[in-house]
Amino acid sequence: MKHQFAFRCELPNGIHARPATHLEKACGRFDCQITLVNHRNNHQGDAKSMLSLVGTDTLFNDNCILIFEGSDSEQASHVLEGFIHNEFPHCDEALATEDNNEAFPLPQSLMRHQPTLLQGKRLASGLGQGKLVKFTHSDLNRFATITDNTSCNSEAERFSNAHRQVTKHLSETAATASLQQKEILTAHLAILNDSNFTGGITELLGSHTTANAILATVDKLSAQLEQSTSTYLRERVLDIKDVAEQVLIAAYPEAQCQRDFELTEPCILFAKDLTPSQFIGLDKHYLQGLVLTHAGSTSHTVILARAFGIPTLSGITAEQCRSALNTPVYIDAQLSVLATDCTEPVQRYFQRAIMLNQQEHKQKQQFIHQPAITNDGHHVEIAANIACSVEASAAFANGAEGIGLFRTEMLFMDRQSAPDENEQFEHYSEVLKAANGKPVIIRTMDIGGDKPIDYLNLPDETNPFLGYRAVRIYPQFAQLFRTQLRAILRASVFGNTKIMIPMIQSIEEIRWVKQQLEYVKAELDSDNTTYSSSVQLGIMVEVPSVAFIIDQFCQEVDFFSIGSNDMTQYLLAVDRDNNQVSHLYNSLAPAFLRMLGQVVKTAHDHGRWVGLCGELGADTHVLPLLVGAGLDEISMSAPKIPTTKATLNGLTLAHCQQLFEQACQCPTIADVTALLDKASATGQDKPLLGIDCVFKHADFANKEEAVQALVGNLGVQGRTDNTYALEDDIWAREAVFSTGLGHGFAIPHTKSDNIRHSSISIAQLNSPIDWQSDAGDVDFIIMLTLNKEQGGQHMRIFSGLARKLIHQDFRDKLRNCGDEAAMIQMLEQELAL
C-alpha cells in the first residue's frame, strides 16, 4: 500500500545533519519504506538514512514529498505528517552567525598607537592573546598504504571493532557535553551509524582493506554534498571526514601519533580549517583564538568556537601571517583584526580590552544562571513559552526558570488523527525531564476557532476568536480531553507539573474541568497507574469577565496566567489581525493596566500567584510596569530570557511600583508611552552617579587608556550598548579642544545617542598622565556621558563642575574623599544632582 503527503521545508538551514537525524529517528519506528523527494532538484533519498536525507540537498522553502510504501504506510503517513508540520520546524534554528555587515569603528584609543593590524572577517566574537601557531593537518590518504600490524581475522572484524569503539567514545562524550557540542556529536553518531556510510563501507570490504573502503565511501558521499547549492551543506563534508578519520584511527591505532597536535601554552591557532573532533581535542585553556582561512560561518567547528567563546576570524591568508608565526599576537574578532608586532601601548590596549571583555561576559553569564531578581532583591520568575518538546532544552540553556506556557495544541494540528495517550505522554515527559524540577505549565489544547482541526469537523465561524474553541469544545470531545489529562498526569511523576485551562470565562466551566480531572484520577487509581498528587490547576485569564470574579476563581484554582494577547483584543474589542482596527490594539491601554493590577492584587489577597504569557512579557521597555503590577512570573520566547533578566536586574521594585501607579492614572496610551520613554531616557533605573563607575585608585598609562577604560566600563555595566561609537563621540568632542582644566583635572564629555543610561564616571589616578593640552598632567578625571534626551542637564552639570573646580578647597576635598561612596555623596551635594 502506498501513501504520501507534500510539505515545504521550513528549516532555515535546510535538511542538514541535525534535523535529518530527528527525521531519521521518527521514520525508523516504522517498517515501511519511506522516501523523501525534493521537487526543486528531483533528488530523492531514503528517509531512514540521515546521509541520504542530507544528500537530497533540501533547502529552506523547497517543496518536498514523503512517500510511504509497505504494510504500515498509512499509520506512518499519519504520524510523520504531524511530525513534519509540528516538530520538524523546531528541530533546527537559524544559526547564530556573526553579523559581518556590522562595522565597528576602530577605536582611537587603539589607532592613536599606530598598531600593525591584519583585517579579517568575524566568525566568532571575542578577544584573545597568544603565540600564533600553525596547525598541521593530517591527510586521510595516509591510511591508504598503512601497514597492517594488528591481529584481526578479517577486514569486517577490523571495521566492526573500530566502529564499536568510536560509537562508544562519541556516546560517552555526548552524554556529558554542553548543548551545542552534544548536538554536533549526536549528528556525528548519526553519520557513523547511517546505512549509507556503514553500508557503503561494508559492501567494499570483500575487495578492499578497511582503510580503502572507508576512503572510497567518504569520497562518494563528499562528492554528493559538494554538488549542493547550499554552503552550509557543502561544509558538512568536513563532518563526514571527521567521523571517517576517527574510525580509521580506531582501526589503525598506530596512526594516532600522526594526528596528535598538542597546545602547551596560550596560542592563536592558524589553520586552513579544523574538524569538530580536532577542535574538541584541543586544550581550551591554551586555545585563545582561531584564524581559519577556509571556514564558513556555519561550519560546525565555528559553531563550537562560538559555544566555547573562542574568537575566530577568516579572510586572513597564510602569506599575511607568515612573518608573525611563533610570535605573540592579539586577536580581536569584534573589530575583525589580528594584531602583530605589538608595541607596549598596543599590548596595554588589548590587555585592558580582554579584561573588559571578561568582565562583560561574566555580567551576562550571571543573568543566565542566576535567579531573575531586581536590583533590590525582588524575584520575578522568568519562564519560557514553548510549542513542542524539542524546544525545552534550549529554553533552559537560555536561563528559563520554568516553562510558563507549553502550547500542546501543536501536537494535535496538521495531522489526520489526534495523538494517542502514549504519544502525548512521551512529549510531556520529555519536557518535565528537561526541566529537572523546575515548574512546567502544560496548557490543555487550545484548538478550534482560529486553530481548526480537520479531523474534529468543527464548524466554520464568522468570528473564530470569540467562537467555539479551547475549553468550550471540551464537553463535545470529552474523551479527547480526558486522554490529554491522563497523559499529563502520568507524565507528572517526572517533575513539577501544572495544568492550565485556556479560555475559561465562568465558574461553571472550571468546575466541569475539575470533575473531569477527578474522573481521570479515579481511572488511573483503578489501573494502579502512578501520578503526582501535587499537580496544580490554573486558568488563563484572557476573557474579561474573569477579571471581575477573580476572588471566586481563587476558591477553585491554584494560579492564574494572563494571556496578554487575547485579553488585550477582548478587553478593547479589537481584532488585532484586522488591518482596519489593528492600530487600536495596544496592551499599554490604561484599561488593560488597571485590569492587570486588579487581577494581581485580588489573587494575592487570596494567596494565589499570577503570571503573564504573551508578547508583552518579552518587551523590556514595558518590563517595569509588569514588575510594578506585582506579577509573580513572566513567560516569553527563550531567546528573550537573558536580556529580560539583565534588564530586570537594573530595576528596583519601589520605582516599578511607582511607575505602574502613574501609568494607571494616565488617560491615554500616548501618555503611558511617554511615561515609559521618560523613565528610560532619564535613566531612573540606573543612577547618574553610581559606585560601579567610580575608581578611587586607577592605574592608567596614558589618556587613550583612560578613555578606553572608562567607556569600556560603561559597556560592562550595561549603560551603553555600543562602546566603540560612544568612545568615538568622546574623541570627537576632545578634537574640538582639550577637556583638561588645569590643576590636575580633566572633564571629557559628550551628549550622545550611544549612552543608554546617563552617567558620570570618575577616576582618581595613582600617577598623573599627560592629557596632551596646555593644562598639564592630569590625575583626576570626571567623564560626563549624557543621553541627548537630557537636554540642558549636560551643560548644567559641566558648567557646575567647571565652576567648582576653580576652587582649591573643592579640589582638595574631592581628592581626600576616603572611598568611592564618599566621592559620590560629595558630588551629589555640591552639584545638587
Side-chain angles (χ1 to χ4, degrees):
M1 188 173 294
K2 184 175 180 180
H3 293 81
Q4 64 183 42
F5 67 84
F7 69 96
R8 177 173 293 178
C9 178
E10 298 181 30
L11 299 169
N13 305 298
I15 300 182
H16 60 91
R18 281 174 288 163
T21 302
H22 288 281
L23 181 54
E24 175 195 52
K25 182 180 178 181
C27 293
R29 297 162 50 191
F30 302 97
D31 296 328
C32 61
Q33 179 182 339
I34 308 177
T35 303
L36 185 144
V37 179
N38 182 344
H39 287 311
R40 175 177 58 82
N41 53 26
N42 291 321
H43 290 180
Q44 59 180 294
D46 180 1
K48 296 182 181 180
S49 163
M50 183 270 285
L51 288 175
S52 186
L53 284 168
V54 172
T56 63
D57 189 24
T58 300
L59 308 180
F60 176 65
N61 271 339
D62 278 358
N63 289 312
C64 303
I65 188 170
L66 273 178
I67 301 172
F68 305 81
E69 295 182 89
S71 58
D72 57 354
S73 61
E74 183 176 5
Q75 180 188 5
S77 176
H78 289 170
V79 172
L80 265 297
E81 188 169 6
F83 173 85
I84 288 291
H85 290 293
N86 298 325
E87 294 186 55
F88 200 45
H90 303 282
C91 291
D92 193 32
E93 58 185 10
L95 294 170
T97 58
E98 296 294 328
D99 184 0
N100 291 297
N101 295 318
E102 183 181 6
F104 294 102
L106 291 172
Q108 289 194 44
S109 54
L110 170 62
M111 300 308 292
R112 287 160 69 102
H113 298 308
Q114 299 181 326
T116 301
L117 304 176
L118 299 178
Q119 193 75 39
K121 176 183 177 182
R122 180 172 63 253
L123 295 180
S125 292
L127 296 100
Q129 171 200 11
K131 181 188 291 186
L132 185 64
V133 176
K134 186 175 181 179
F135 180 80
T136 304
H137 284 274
S138 58
D139 183 1
L140 289 186
N141 289 322
R142 75 182 189 271
F143 290 95
T145 57
I146 195 166
T147 304
D148 181 4
N149 294 322
T150 63
S151 58
C152 289
N153 295 323
S154 67
E155 293 300 325
E157 181 183 353
R158 183 194 304 278
F159 174 66
S160 178
N161 291 341
H163 185 276
R164 185 166 52 250
Q165 180 180 328
V166 176
T167 300
K168 182 174 183 291
H169 170 71
L170 289 177
S171 298
E172 290 175 348
T173 306
T176 57
S178 63
L179 178 64
Q180 290 280 14
Q181 187 175 345
K182 183 175 183 178
E183 288 181 348
I184 293 169
L185 289 170
T186 300
H188 282 196
L189 272 168
I191 293 173
L192 183 62
N193 295 302
D194 190 89
S195 59
N196 280 19
F197 183 78
T198 56
I201 294 169
T202 303
E203 287 178 8
L204 295 173
L205 288 177
S207 57
H208 292 67
T209 64
T210 297
N212 286 318
I214 292 173
L215 293 174
T217 302
V218 168
D219 287 344
K220 178 182 177 182
L221 295 173
S222 297
Q224 284 182 320
L225 288 180
E226 285 168 349
Q227 298 301 311
S228 173
T229 54
S230 164
T231 301
Y232 185 90
L233 293 180
R234 290 197 300 272
E235 287 176 348
R236 302 288 71 78
V237 170
L238 198 64
D239 294 286
I240 294 175
K241 291 181 177 179
D242 190 348
V243 173
E245 185 170 21
Q246 294 179 67
V247 178
L248 285 165
I249 289 173
Y252 303 97
E254 61 272 23
Q256 175 66 34
C257 61
Q258 300 179 45
R259 188 177 189 257
D260 284 344
F261 184 90
E262 186 177 1
L263 299 178
T264 58
E265 60 182 317
C267 292
I268 309 298
L269 201 61
F270 178 84
K272 178 181 178 182
D273 206 342
L274 291 175
T275 67
S277 64
Q278 286 169 342
F279 175 86
I280 291 169
L282 294 170
D283 189 335
K284 306 306 181 296
H285 176 70
Y286 291 127
L287 182 63
Q288 299 298 303
L290 291 171
V291 179
L292 304 174
T293 61
H294 284 67
S297 62
T298 57
S299 156
H300 274 168
T301 299
V302 172
I303 293 171
L304 287 173
R306 293 191 197 110
F308 279 90
I310 305 296
T312 305
L313 294 176
S314 66
I316 298 175
T317 67
E319 181 60 33
Q320 288 176 295
C321 290
R322 193 182 308 279
S323 63
L325 287 175
N326 300 313
T327 68
V329 299
Y330 290 90
I331 184 172
D332 187 332
Q334 190 74 353
L335 296 176
S336 302
V337 297
L338 185 73
T340 64
D341 301 321
C342 298
T343 61
E344 182 181 351
V346 172
Q347 292 178 39
R348 287 182 65 89
Y349 168 86
F350 281 110
Q351 290 289 355
R352 186 168 295 278
I354 289 171
M355 180 188 71
L356 290 167
N357 187 62
Q358 290 170 343
Q359 291 175 351
E360 187 170 359
H361 178 73
K362 186 177 180 180
Q363 289 273 44
K364 290 179 179 178
Q365 287 299 108
Q366 74 179 5
F367 295 120
I368 290 178
H369 301 295
Q370 295 299 320
I373 56 174
T374 60
N375 191 256
D376 53 352
H378 176 69
H379 178 249
V380 179
E381 182 180 306
I382 303 299
N385 298 335
I386 64 173
C388 62
S389 56
V390 297
E391 295 181 86
S393 294
F396 292 112
N398 273 291
E401 297 179 317
I403 300 298
L405 174 62
F406 182 178
R407 298 183 178 95
T408 62
E409 57 270 13
M410 300 304 175
L411 299 176
F412 294 78
M413 297 174 66
D414 297 311
R415 55 193 297 160
Q416 296 181 4
S417 62
D420 62 23
E421 181 180 324
N422 285 332
E423 183 181 346
Q424 293 185 61
F425 166 76
E426 289 176 4
H427 284 280
Y428 306 148
S429 299
E430 186 177 343
V431 175
L432 286 162
K433 290 174 184 177
N436 195 28
K438 296 182 176 70
V440 175
I441 298 179
I442 302 175
R443 185 177 73 181
T444 53
M445 51 188 178
D446 184 6
I447 54 181
D450 62 317
K451 304 185 189 78
I453 302 295
D454 291 340
Y455 54 81
L456 295 185
N457 295 316
L458 295 172
D460 292 331
E461 299 180 83
T462 303
N463 192 335
F465 286 103
L466 297 177
Y468 195 48
R469 56 174 286 204
V471 71
R472 298 172 180 181
I473 75 167
Y474 292 176
Q476 180 181 349
F477 302 100
Q479 188 54 53
L480 185 67
F481 178 53
R482 288 196 289 264
T483 297
Q484 182 173 36
L485 293 179
R486 282 180 60 93
I488 295 172
L489 288 174
R490 285 175 54 202
S492 68
V493 298
F494 294 106
N496 185 355
T497 311
K498 303 177 190 295
I499 300 174
M500 182 163 65
I501 312 299
M503 279 295 289
I504 288 285
Q505 62 95 20
S506 69
I507 295 294
E508 291 88 344
E509 285 175 331
I510 194 61
R511 286 180 177 173
W512 181 86
V513 167
K514 292 169 72 175
Q515 289 174 355
Q516 303 308 303
L517 191 58
E518 291 305 313
Y519 177 89
V520 168
K521 288 180 178 179
E523 279 188 334
L524 294 173
D525 290 337
S526 66
D527 296 339
N528 293 319
T529 302
T530 58
Y531 59 91
S532 172
S533 60
S534 59
V535 176
Q536 291 189 357
L537 178 67
I539 65 168
M540 290 280 288
V541 180
E542 51 193 340
V543 179
S545 62
V546 173
F548 294 94
I549 52 173
I550 282 290
D551 57 333
Q552 296 177 2
F553 272 104
C554 288
Q555 312 305 316
E556 306 288 342
V557 300
D558 302 300
F559 68 92
F560 304 94
S561 185
I562 297 171
S564 61
N565 299 349
D566 277 348
M567 176 58 89
T568 299
Q569 71 173 349
Y570 294 151
L571 185 67
L572 304 181
V574 174
D575 181 354
R576 57 184 173 140
D577 292 327
N578 184 331
N579 292 331
Q580 299 300 315
V581 296
S582 59
H583 64 282
L584 301 174
Y585 175 90
N586 194 319
S587 297
L588 292 183
F592 177 89
L593 297 178
R594 290 190 181 191
M595 180 278 303
L596 175 63
Q598 182 60 33
V599 168
V600 173
K601 181 181 183 304
T602 305
H604 285 178
D605 288 344
H606 289 78
R608 299 292 184 260
W609 69 265
V610 185
L612 181 142
C613 56
E615 295 173 8
L616 191 66
D619 189 340
T620 54
H621 189 57
V622 181
L623 184 62
L625 295 184
L626 304 183
V627 175
L631 287 166
D632 303 286
E633 178 242 46
I634 304 171
S635 188
M636 63 199 65
S637 62
K640 300 286 188 181
I641 290 174
T643 299
T644 301
K645 282 187 172 184
T647 304
L648 182 67
N649 188 252
L651 305 177
T652 62
L653 178 60
H655 175 247
C656 290
Q657 290 173 329
Q658 180 185 25
L659 197 64
F660 181 72
E661 290 176 5
Q662 291 173 344
C664 287
Q665 298 307 313
C666 288
T668 70
I669 294 171
D671 291 324
V672 175
T673 302
L675 180 69
L676 289 175
D677 289 343
K678 181 180 178 182
S680 177
T682 55
Q684 291 181 2
D685 51 337
K686 282 187 181 291
L688 184 65
L689 269 169
I691 201 165
D692 55 357
C693 295
V694 180
F695 303 89
K696 173 69 175 167
H697 301 286
D699 185 19
F700 303 143
N702 47 58
K703 179 179 181 178
E704 291 77 17
E705 192 172 328
V707 173
Q708 177 198 11
L710 294 180
V711 174
N713 180 65
L714 293 174
V716 171
Q717 304 305 331
R719 291 171 176 263
T720 177
D721 295 320
N722 193 333
T723 56
Y724 299 116
L726 182 60
E727 183 180 319
D728 249 16
D729 293 338
I730 288 286
W731 286 111
R733 183 64 188 81
E734 201 72 20
V736 177
F737 61 83
S738 174
T739 54
L741 298 181
H743 307 291
F745 279 81
I747 315 179
H749 56 279
T750 185
K751 186 165 61 174
S752 169
D753 287 329
N754 296 305
I755 186 74
R756 186 199 297 177
H757 305 286
S758 293
S759 307
I760 298 177
S761 303
I762 304 171
Q764 185 174 10
L765 280 61
N766 291 327
S767 301
I769 60 175
D770 178 14
W771 201 254
Q772 300 166 347
S773 71
D774 296 337
D777 289 350
V778 163
D779 67 350
F780 212 108
I781 304 168
I782 303 176
M783 186 176 77
L784 311 179
T785 47
L786 282 82
N787 189 285
K788 285 187 175 180
E789 296 296 326
Q790 292 282 311
Q793 188 178 16
H794 173 270
M795 285 307 301
R796 183 180 68 79
I797 295 174
F798 179 82
S799 300
L801 262 176
R803 286 195 301 271
K804 291 284 185 181
L805 288 170
I806 293 174
H807 304 288
Q808 183 172 342
D809 59 336
F810 176 84
R811 299 194 302 268
D812 291 344
K813 187 177 178 181
L814 191 56
R815 281 195 170 97
N816 293 328
C817 286
D819 56 26
E820 292 84 353
M823 281 188 186
I824 290 175
Q825 184 178 11
M826 178 195 165
L827 286 173
E828 286 178 337
Q829 292 174 348
E830 294 285 347
L831 300 176
L833 298 177

